[in-house]
Amino acid sequence: MKLRIEVSDGLPEDEVIIRCGRADDTVQKLQAYILGLSAPKLTFYKGQREFYIPLEEILFFETEGERIYAHTASDAFMVKHRLYELEAILPQAFARAAKGAIVNTARVYAVSRNLASSSQIRFAGTHKQVYVSRHYYRALRQKINERSWS
């Protein structure tokens, strides 16, 4: 494997390009590591306790009344951000599924499409589910199909 660093003045933001013959396990681990460096560090709350959970474990974020909850396969934690704030800072694997939900597309197991109303998203290894509205369905499906690292 060769490594080359090019420094260019005037770039609006740093960019990392990986050129490879195939996206093998090493390349995928490298991608995950690089993305992890820029991933936001969120604090999750339950009662009086603070939790620091890797974003890969989050299935979805959902509004419940005035609060926002992050759901893992077995639990839910409060987050002190609004959905539009989360949408701006979360990694590319997260996508809006409805007005009140953001989904981790890397954890989506199945989507049961319903043409008349919202479609249901299911996640592997848990009973939890969330609904995707017709408005967000096409963009979410495209993002799920683009995930080359899963």
Side-chain angles (χ1 to χ4, degrees), residues 31-69:
Q31 178 188 17
Y33 176 76
I34 291 169
L35 291 174
L37 292 175
S38 62
K41 306 297 184 222
L42 294 177
T43 304
F44 302 92
Y45 302 90
K46 189 163 195 164
Q48 300 298 316
R49 298 173 69 188
E50 295 180 358
F51 295 86
Y52 304 94
I53 302 167
L55 288 176
E56 304 86 53
E57 292 184 27
I58 304 299
L59 303 175
F60 60 94
F61 293 90
E62 181 178 50
T63 59
E64 191 174 302
E66 293 292 316
R67 298 178 189 242
I68 308 296
Y69 288 91

Side-chain angles (χ1 to χ4, degrees), residues 1 14 22 33 36 40 44 58 75 113 119-121 125 133:
M1 180 182 294
D14 292 338
R22 66 185 201 288
Y33 176 76
F44 302 92
I58 304 299
D75 216 339
R113 184 143 190 225
S119 300
Q120 182 185 64
I121 297 174
S133 69

Side-chain angles (χ1 to χ4, degrees), residues 31-32 34-36 38-40 54-61 86-97 101-109 111 121 123 130 132 136 139-150:
Q31 178 188 17
I34 291 169
L35 291 174
S38 62
L55 288 176
E56 304 86 53
E57 292 184 27
I58 304 299
L59 303 175
F60 60 94
F61 293 90
L86 289 169
E87 199 172 22
I89 62 173
L90 286 170
Q92 198 171 8
F94 288 84
R96 186 68 82 134
I102 297 175
V103 173
N104 182 349
T105 61
R107 301 294 304 269
V108 172
Y109 175 71
V111 178
I121 297 174
F123 304 92
V130 70
V132 57
Y136 293 102
L140 180 71
R141 189 172 138 225
Q142 181 178 356
K143 191 163 266 197
I144 291 170
N145 289 334
E146 289 173 357
R147 62 182 188 189
S148 59
W149 37 268
S150 60

